[in-house]
Amino acid sequence: VKTLRLVLGDQLNHQHSWFSSTNENHLYFMAEMEQETNYATHHIQKVVAFFESMRNFTKWLKARGHSVVYYKLDSSENKQDLAENLNYLIEKHHIEKFEHQLPDEYRLDEQLKKFCKSVSIKTKAYDTEHFYTERTELETFYEGKKELTMEYFYRHMRKKHNILMGNEKDPEGGKWNFDKSNRKKWKGSPSIPHEKGFRKDVSEIVSLLNKKGIKTMGNIDKKNFNWPTSREDCLSVLNYFCKNLLQHFGDYQDALHTEQLYLFHSRLSFALNSKMLSPQEVLEKVISHWREHKNSIDISQLEGFVRQILGWREYMRGIYWKEMPGFRRSNKLDNQNKLPNFYWTGKTKMNCLHHAINQSLDHAYAHHIQRLMITGNFALLLQCHPDEVDTWYLGIYIDAIEWVEITNTRGMSQFADGGVIATKPYVSSGNYINKMSNYCKNCQYSVSKKTEDDACPFNSLYWNFLDDKRKHFKNNQRMNMMMSLLNKKTAKELSALKNRAQEIMKNPDKF
Ligand code: FAD
Ligand code: SF4
């Protein structure tokens, strides 16, 4: 049966069973489409990374003897819309069956369901063969439970997949979680190797985007593109991580530093989210490297990494399918403010935000704590509408795909889900930032001041936020300590803090 098989841009799974043998009746289809470049304003490096990776994947498919139709963005046949392209190809190639892999985004899932209903030929959906879990596995796991604590799901995954287990029931190393030892500040040592970089010339794709007038954000060095865009590139980033970074990964997971963009982070998120690497092979490789180097790499470094991939990543996927589409509209704290303009330009005097945002604009990357405790923290303290915050996060990062972006942003970072993912909002004053980074040392604002003209804006915004949102935290035990500290403030102290906070909120771009 003449079959059209769709491969989406984030389905570049070389190990998928579809590709293990060739069949002359199978026609694969991939396309660069305005539908995808325009549903959000993406970072230019993100669009380039996807297009370059899709092109490399097509080359790989063709070299293995598969038939592929690939539409570049300016191809004359490209209708720029998925359904229109599919309809056109079905007619042109006399297709008798349509097959696709299950998309990870709700919007594409809906579109493909609708498309499949609309055609008269047979259709079939396949698993992407990428994740450890199926879409609904998390929902089943938590059935009947009030709280969706990640830790229990993570332990279940460790047991189920026999990952870092001492025996059937107990974790290797005697502890499930070494999070408490993952909180060191980085002060110039141990030295951090240069990231595994690539110096690719991607001028052609950049010109194509310009020619088609695609609106993007951020900057690009088009002769020295630095992200992995092929299976070989991705494997080399993984190897590099094992050899050079794993050793200190856990210790400095929460550290922040002005001179270090990546610290000991792996930079694997794009390779994983585009599916060029599978989470299974990443964990197998990292764990086997650890087994060979147990003398020099402590289990706490490894466990921190395993938790991110086997725990958080699979957990976010499950939450997404459990909570969508309602999740996209959630705004439990009723935040209504606009995101400051400086998120798009990097022009702010606050040193922490200046670094985190400019780095994001230049490299399409910020590590987790920058996303959570700098940009996310500030947006929440400023009481920005989660739609505004999501729009920014969905655009700016190389790894931003809705299933993992929205759960981290709306859920973990903005508490807009009212506590489905996080038990309390991730907010802090300047104190935490000062403890974990060197940002405050050269900042125009003083982290120890609260209400003066040169006081760190995070300080007054923090108390103002807690005061404004009192009713939301009334029954949240994990907020008790913060709220009782708030209640100890005199009326005069609180009023001075609130005045300063109001001044910042009125025009954050001045700060
Ligand atoms: P490492 O620190 O080396 O971690 C290894 C891997 O673990 C990552 O590559 C990633 O696949 C996984 N991982 C780590 N933390 C998480 C997490 N919280 N959720 C899911 N997977 C995780 N991650 C995305 O992949 N896409 C996003 O759009 C995204 N948006 C985020 C938005 C906010 C507000 C926050 C707080 C976090 C977001 N994250 C997102 C999670 C995390 O920040 C990134 O996965 C990580 O920074 C990517 O860099 P890395 O590969 O060097 O990660
Ligand atoms: Fe950020 Fe405040 Fe520190 Fe400045 S003083 S870097 S604004 S936390």
Side-chain angles (χ1 to χ4, degrees):
V1 182
K2 187 97 197 197
T3 304
L4 182 67
R5 285 183 156 179
L6 171 69
V7 181
L8 294 169
D10 68 344
Q11 296 179 337
L12 312 181
N13 181 359
H14 298 72
Q15 294 154 304
H16 197 280
S17 52
W18 268 11
F19 312 122
S20 57
S21 60
T22 53
N23 181 329
E24 60 184 23
N25 280 320
H26 290 166
L27 179 63
Y28 289 94
F29 173 55
M30 298 181 75
E32 302 166 4
M33 290 176 289
E34 285 178 21
Q35 159 181 327
E36 295 305 303
T37 56
N38 298 357
Y39 75 86
T41 303
H42 303 285
H43 197 294
I44 185 160
Q45 294 191 35
K46 178 180 168 191
V47 184
V48 167
F50 273 106
F51 284 6
E52 180 74 11
S53 305
M54 288 160 66
R55 291 178 184 193
N56 285 334
F57 191 76
T58 303
K59 275 188 215 147
W60 178 84
L61 282 179
K62 285 184 177 166
R64 290 176 63 96
H66 296 289
S67 307
V68 190
V69 170
Y70 188 92
Y71 286 170
K72 288 191 175 177
L73 194 65
D74 62 348
S75 152
S76 61
E77 285 182 306
N78 190 345
K79 315 275 180 260
Q80 308 296 348
D81 172 86
L82 180 59
E84 284 181 38
N85 277 334
L86 292 173
N87 275 323
Y88 173 74
L89 285 167
I90 288 170
E91 198 174 317
K92 181 174 173 191
H93 295 276
H94 310 292
I95 298 291
E96 295 160 292
K97 190 174 183 195
F98 169 67
E99 297 184 342
H100 67 93
Q101 297 175 23
L102 287 171
D104 289 321
E105 282 170 278
Y106 194 85
R107 119 196 118 80
L108 284 163
D109 199 53
E110 292 287 288
Q111 189 182 19
L112 279 171
K113 274 190 200 145
K114 194 167 149 209
F115 173 77
C116 289
K117 266 200 200 139
S118 75
V119 291
S120 53
I121 57 173
K122 277 198 178 150
T123 66
K124 184 171 175 187
Y126 288 73
D127 196 90
T128 53
E129 301 172 11
H130 172 81
F131 291 98
Y132 279 98
T133 45
E134 294 195 359
R135 277 184 185 176
T136 53
E137 196 168 329
L138 174 136
E139 186 161 7
T140 314
F141 175 76
Y142 285 114
E143 223 163 64
K145 305 217 174 59
K146 252 201 191 146
E147 283 178 4
L148 313 184
T149 314
M150 197 291 283
E151 183 65 24
Y152 299 121
F153 178 72
Y154 169 52
R155 290 181 191 184
H156 160 74
M157 294 293 286
R158 291 264 297 269
K159 285 187 232 166
K160 180 171 174 191
H161 298 282
N162 190 20
I163 292 174
L164 275 190
M165 294 300 293
N167 57 42
E168 250 175 55
K169 284 200 316 256
D170 304 305
E172 192 161 351
K175 263 164 67 171
W176 289 105
N177 186 318
F178 291 82
D179 198 18
K180 291 226 165 69
S181 52
N182 295 164
R183 290 177 190 162
K184 285 194 184 149
K185 178 171 180 166
W186 188 75
K187 296 177 185 160
S189 75
S191 62
I192 302 174
H194 191 277
E195 81 273 9
K196 169 73 198 159
F198 301 91
R199 301 187 141 262
K200 282 179 213 161
D201 186 340
V202 292
S203 319
E204 193 235 295
I205 299 182
V206 173
S207 307
L208 177 63
L209 295 177
N210 288 337
K211 183 178 118 188
K212 293 289 291 177
I214 302 300
K215 188 175 166 217
T216 58
M217 69 191 289
N219 309 313
I220 190 164
D221 179 352
K222 60 188 179 189
K223 301 270 183 206
N224 292 296
F225 188 65
N226 202 22
W227 289 100
T229 55
S230 68
R231 170 104 178 128
E232 293 70 35
D233 291 351
C234 295
L235 286 169
S236 73
V237 177
L238 175 58
N239 276 330
Y240 189 84
F241 173 73
C242 290
K243 285 204 186 111
N244 301 289
L245 305 166
L246 174 64
Q247 199 181 350
H248 300 295
F249 177 84
D251 281 351
Y252 299 101
Q253 217 172 320
D254 287 1
L256 302 142
H257 198 275
T258 47
E259 308 308 317
Q260 295 294 336
L261 309 186
Y262 307 112
L263 288 130
F264 294 96
H265 293 280
S266 68
R267 296 175 78 244
L268 281 169
S269 50
F270 176 73
L272 278 162
N273 294 355
S274 60
K275 301 190 180 60
M276 287 189 282
L277 291 185
S278 77
Q280 290 88 346
E281 70 181 325
V282 170
L283 291 188
E284 273 164 26
K285 167 87 194 157
V286 173
I287 293 171
S288 85
H289 181 87
W290 171 74
R291 293 209 186 283
E292 284 162 28
H293 299 83
K294 264 186 176 177
N295 292 338
S296 54
I297 307 176
D298 191 75
I299 191 169
S300 62
Q301 315 299 335
L302 173 74
E303 188 281 319
F305 187 78
V306 172
R307 188 175 349 120
Q308 303 313 320
I309 293 190
L310 186 68
W312 281 111
R313 189 167 184 270
E314 297 287 329
Y315 177 80
M316 291 310 201
R317 162 179 163 77
I319 294 278
Y320 182 73
W321 287 106
K322 179 175 177 305
E323 300 292 327
M324 282 296 276
F327 202 81
R328 193 188 275 150
R329 289 184 294 274
S330 57
N331 184 8
K332 285 274 167 60
L333 295 180
D334 194 21
N335 287 332
Q336 300 296 341
N337 290 334
K338 265 182 69 87
L339 198 66
N341 199 36
F342 68 67
Y343 273 70
W344 302 86
T345 63
K347 289 191 182 124
T348 170
K349 289 179 279 200
M350 291 177 271
N351 205 29
C352 52
L353 284 156
H354 173 85
H355 274 277
I357 293 171
N358 280 297
Q359 164 186 336
S360 305
L361 291 168
D362 287 345
H363 302 280
Y365 180 90
H367 59 75
H368 188 68
I369 294 299
Q370 289 177 310
R371 299 186 201 194
L372 188 65
M373 296 312 292
I374 307 292
T375 42
N377 185 9
F378 193 76
L380 181 54
L381 291 179
L382 214 57
Q383 303 176 31
C384 296
H385 196 292
D387 285 357
E388 292 261 320
V389 189
D390 258 331
T391 302
W392 187 75
Y393 278 100
L394 186 58
I396 196 156
Y397 293 117
I398 193 89
D399 51 36
I401 303 182
E402 194 189 62
W403 67 268
V404 58
E405 175 282 319
I406 201 171
T407 40
N408 271 294
T409 302
R410 239 169 230 257
M412 181 183 261
S413 160
Q414 299 299 296
F415 206 69
D417 59 0
V420 175
I421 291 173
T423 48
K424 66 178 168 69
Y426 280 96
V427 284
S428 81
S429 65
N431 211 5
Y432 171 86
I433 297 171
N434 192 31
K435 201 172 95 193
M436 296 309 293
S437 77
N438 68 341
Y439 290 143
C440 304
K441 228 165 65 188
N442 291 318
C443 184
Q444 266 185 257
Y445 296 103
S446 164
V447 71
S448 56
K449 294 186 184 168
K450 294 191 174 60
T451 52
E452 297 83 337
D453 283 346
D454 63 343
C456 167
F458 283 79
N459 292 341
S460 51
L461 287 172
Y462 174 76
W463 294 110
N464 178 67
F465 170 81
L466 293 182
D467 184 56
D468 280 358
K469 304 294 173 190
R470 271 175 198 276
K471 71 167 192 257
H472 297 281
F473 304 137
K474 222 173 37 205
N475 300 319
N476 186 333
Q477 287 196 356
R478 294 213 56 209
M479 294 299 285
N480 284 354
M481 203 173 86
M482 290 189 205
M483 299 318 279
S484 77
L485 287 173
L486 173 69
N487 291 335
K488 282 191 188 133
K489 302 240 171 267
T490 64
K492 199 172 151 204
E493 275 172 331
L494 188 59
S495 142
L497 284 165
K498 288 189 74 84
N499 284 343
R500 165 82 175 157
Q502 289 313 317
E503 190 192 330
I504 300 162
M505 287 167 86
K506 228 186 288 157
N507 189 1
D509 281 302
K510 234 175 64 190
F511 287 82

